[in-house]
Amino acid sequence: MWEYTGAMEPNGHRRGNKKNMVTVQNGDLSTLNIDDELDPWTAWANKPHTITLLLIGACLLIWASGALNSHNISSGDIVASVKRGVWAMVAVYLAYSLLQAPSTVLIRPHPSIWRLVHGMAVIYLVALTFLLFQKRDDAQQFMRYLHPDLGIELPERSYGADCRIYVPENPTNRFKNLYDTLFDEFVLAHIIGWWGKAIMIRNQPLLWVLSIGFELMELTFRHMLPNFNECWWDSIILDILICNWFGIWAGMRTVRYFDGKTYEWVGISRQPNIMGKVKRTLGQFTPAHWDKDEWHPLLGPWRFIQVLSLCVVFLTVELNTFFLKFCLWIPPRNPLIVYRLVFWWLVALPTIREYNSYLQDRKPAKKVGAFCWLSLAICIVELLICIKFGHGSFPNPMPKWVVLLWSCVGTGLVMSLAAWSWHLHTTMRRKRD
C-alpha cells in the first residue's frame, strides 16, 4: 500500500510515457495507467461514483442516526449520542476526503487511499488544536473517551537503573538486565521503525544522521523522562549497532530491490492464468514506479539547511511520541501509540516525496505540497501540547554540560554556514570578474 508515483524530472514534473496519461481531477494533476483504465476488470475503480456513494452515505446516516425513527427523538444517553455524533462527523469528512480531496503524488494502490489519508491528517490536526486549548487535567481525563484504560497516572520505566550486564546476586537469571532489554517490546519496534524510515528517505548517510541524532536527543532529555535513561550498552550497542543498523540495512535492501525492478504493468484481465492475476492484484500494493531521491545536502548552504530542517522535524516527531505519552498518561502498550505511529508513517510517505520534489524544483516561485504543510503543522501543534502540558512536570534542570554542548554545536554550525556562504560568494564574484 505504501507507494509510489511516476518518475520525476529535476524540476518536479512527471515524465510522460506511452503507458501513462495525465488527467485533471479537483484541480490537481494525477497520473493513471492506461492499461488499468482500459482493463475491464478495473475500469470501475477509475470512475468517480461520487453521486452513487453520496446516496449510499445518506442512507447510512439515516440508519445510524435514526432520523426516520420518531422514538429516538427524546430518548437515549446524551454521552452516547455525542460520541456517535462526533464519530459521524469524522466519517462524513473522511468520505468527503475520499471522493473530493486533492490528489497527491502517490497513485498506488489507488489515489483515493491517499486522499483518505489526507482527510485523516486534517482531522488529527483539528483534534490536536482542540486538545491544545484544554487544561492538562481535563485533557488527561478526556483521553478516557478514546480508550477506557487511559486517564490514570502511570510510572515511567527507567532502563538505566542498573547497567550491570552480569548480576551475580540473582539466582534465577544472572543476565537479567540484558535479558529484559533484549526481549523488550520496543526492540522489534526499533527494527520495523528504521525499516520504514529507510523506505521513505532512501539515503543511508541521512538515516545514520537520524539514528545517532535520536540517541543524542535521548541523552539531552534524559533528565526529563526516565524512559530516556538508558545504559551505555543499550544505547550504543543494542539501539544503534544492532536494531537501527538491521532496520536500515533491511530497508535499503528493499529500496535497492524496487530500484532495480523493471516496471511494465499489464492489466489483470490480460494475465494468462489465475496465478498471474493474483500476482498482478498483489502488485497493485507495490510501487508503480520508483523514484531516486537526491538530497545532496552538500550542494550549498541553503540546501544543507533544508535537509537539516527535515532531520529536525523527524527528530521532533519522534520526541513528541514520548512526551505526549508522558503528559497524557498513555501507557507504552496502549493501541493509541501504535495508531499514531502508523498514521505518521502513512502521512510521511507522500510528505517525503513532496518535499524532495520541492527541493529539486528549480522554479523561482514554488510552494510545498499539502502533505508537507500538514505534517509540519501537526508536528508544531504536538510540540505545543507537550510544552503546555509539561509545565511543572519536569523539575530537574537541564545539565550545564548539555547546554554547553548544544551551544557549541549551534555556534559552530552558524559559523560554518557563514564561512561556507562567504566562500561561495567570493568564488562567484571572482568568476564574474
Side-chain angles (χ1 to χ4, degrees):
M1 184 175 68
W2 14 280
E3 261 255 54
Y4 292 96
T5 74
M8 305 294 291
E9 295 286 359
N11 62 0
H13 295 288
R14 193 188 312 280
R15 288 202 301 267
N17 56 62
K18 65 181 181 179
K19 287 186 177 293
N20 291 338
M21 70 177 182
V22 177
T23 62
V24 178
Q25 182 179 6
N26 302 324
D28 297 286
L29 291 177
S30 62
T31 302
L32 295 178
N33 188 286
I34 291 181
D35 286 337
D36 288 343
E37 172 140 329
L38 300 180
D39 192 306
W41 285 34
T42 58
W44 63 271
N46 293 319
K47 296 179 180 179
H49 304 294
T50 53
I51 300 300
T52 302
L53 292 175
L54 174 61
L55 296 177
I56 294 174
C59 294
L60 290 175
L61 279 180
I62 293 173
W63 169 76
S65 64
L68 302 181
N69 187 355
S70 59
H71 298 288
N72 292 335
I73 296 178
S74 59
S75 61
D77 181 16
I78 185 172
V79 176
S81 298
V82 170
K83 283 184 178 180
R84 294 173 62 201
V86 171
W87 285 116
M89 290 168 53
V90 171
V92 168
Y93 184 77
L94 290 180
Y96 166 78
S97 300
L98 182 74
L99 300 174
Q100 301 291 354
S103 299
T104 70
V105 295
L106 306 187
I107 63 174
R108 287 294 183 91
H110 193 276
S112 61
I113 299 297
W114 300 105
R115 294 197 292 268
L116 181 65
V117 174
H118 179 274
M120 293 168 58
V122 174
I123 290 175
Y124 184 58
L125 175 61
V126 173
L128 287 175
T129 306
F130 168 80
L131 201 64
L132 179 63
F133 281 80
Q134 310 308 309
K135 298 179 181 179
R136 180 175 59 190
D137 295 340
D138 295 338
Q140 290 167 346
Q141 298 305 316
F142 174 78
M143 299 301 292
R144 288 177 179 268
Y145 293 103
L146 300 179
H147 197 277
D149 295 339
L150 301 181
I152 303 173
E153 186 174 5
L154 301 171
E156 277 285 310
R157 176 182 176 183
S158 176
Y159 291 86
D162 187 359
C163 291
R164 293 178 298 171
I165 297 178
Y166 182 74
V167 186
E169 64 270 17
N170 192 320
T172 57
N173 187 355
R174 288 181 170 82
F175 295 93
K176 184 178 184 303
N177 294 335
L178 183 61
Y179 180 86
D180 291 342
T181 304
L182 284 174
F183 291 94
D184 187 79
E185 63 267 18
F186 292 107
V187 171
L188 183 61
H190 266 80
I191 297 174
I192 296 176
W194 283 102
W195 175 83
K197 293 185 184 98
I199 294 295
M200 292 187 293
I201 297 177
R202 308 173 189 174
N203 185 285
Q204 194 159 344
L206 200 57
L207 289 167
W208 280 111
V209 169
L210 291 173
S211 175
I212 298 174
F214 184 73
E215 298 302 324
L216 292 177
M217 291 298 101
E218 286 187 334
L219 189 64
T220 302
F221 296 104
R222 66 192 305 177
H223 67 285
M224 302 176 71
L225 294 181
N227 194 218
F228 286 165
N229 187 21
E230 297 179 343
C231 300
W232 66 269
W233 48 268
D234 186 3
S235 179
I236 298 176
I237 299 178
L238 183 61
D239 285 353
I240 298 179
L241 299 181
I242 297 180
C243 296
N244 296 0
W245 172 85
F246 185 75
I248 293 173
W249 173 83
M252 293 307 297
R253 286 292 297 266
T254 307
V255 169
R256 284 191 289 270
Y257 168 76
F258 284 108
D259 189 29
K261 283 187 63 177
T262 301
Y263 293 91
E264 295 290 340
W265 297 103
V266 179
I268 297 177
S269 64
R270 296 170 57 187
Q271 299 296 330
N273 50 46
I274 296 296
M275 187 57 66
K277 297 181 188 301
V278 171
K279 289 182 179 180
R280 178 59 183 86
T281 302
L282 295 177
Q284 190 67 21
F285 295 87
T286 62
H289 296 274
W290 191 261
D291 299 337
K292 289 185 177 179
D293 291 347
E294 302 293 341
W295 296 105
H296 299 302
L298 301 181
L299 189 63
W302 181 238
R303 174 59 67 87
F304 181 85
I305 293 174
Q306 289 174 321
V307 177
L308 181 63
S309 300
L310 174 67
C311 296
V312 170
V313 173
F314 248 96
L315 294 175
T316 304
V317 170
E318 294 199 19
L319 285 174
N320 287 344
T321 303
F322 294 90
F323 281 98
L324 286 173
K325 178 170 66 73
F326 177 84
C327 294
L328 296 176
W329 294 349
I330 305 176
R333 297 184 181 181
N334 191 277
L336 288 181
I337 300 292
V338 179
Y339 298 158
R340 178 185 173 275
L341 293 177
V342 173
F343 161 79
W344 260 114
W345 189 64
L346 291 174
V347 170
L349 285 173
T351 297
I352 297 298
R353 302 282 76 73
E354 290 180 355
Y355 190 62
N356 190 262
S357 299
Y358 173 82
L359 295 185
Q360 297 182 30
D361 194 347
R362 298 181 181 273
K363 292 187 297 185
K366 57 183 180 178
K367 68 174 184 177
V368 296
F371 272 98
C372 276
W373 190 93
L374 277 172
S375 298
L376 184 58
I378 292 172
C379 177
I380 292 174
V381 178
E382 283 186 345
L383 180 61
L384 291 176
I385 290 176
C386 296
I387 294 174
K388 179 179 179 179
F389 294 168
H391 284 308
S393 300
F394 310 108
N396 298 328
M398 181 173 289
K400 292 183 179 180
W401 69 269
V402 174
V403 177
L404 181 61
L405 171 65
W406 288 112
S407 298
C408 293
V409 170
T411 304
L413 181 62
V414 171
M415 293 178 63
S416 299
L417 289 174
W420 193 359
S421 301
W422 175 255
H423 174 72
L424 291 178
H425 175 72
T426 54
T427 302
M428 293 295 293
R429 188 171 58 183
R430 289 173 185 172
K431 289 182 179 180
R432 287 195 299 265
D433 296 340

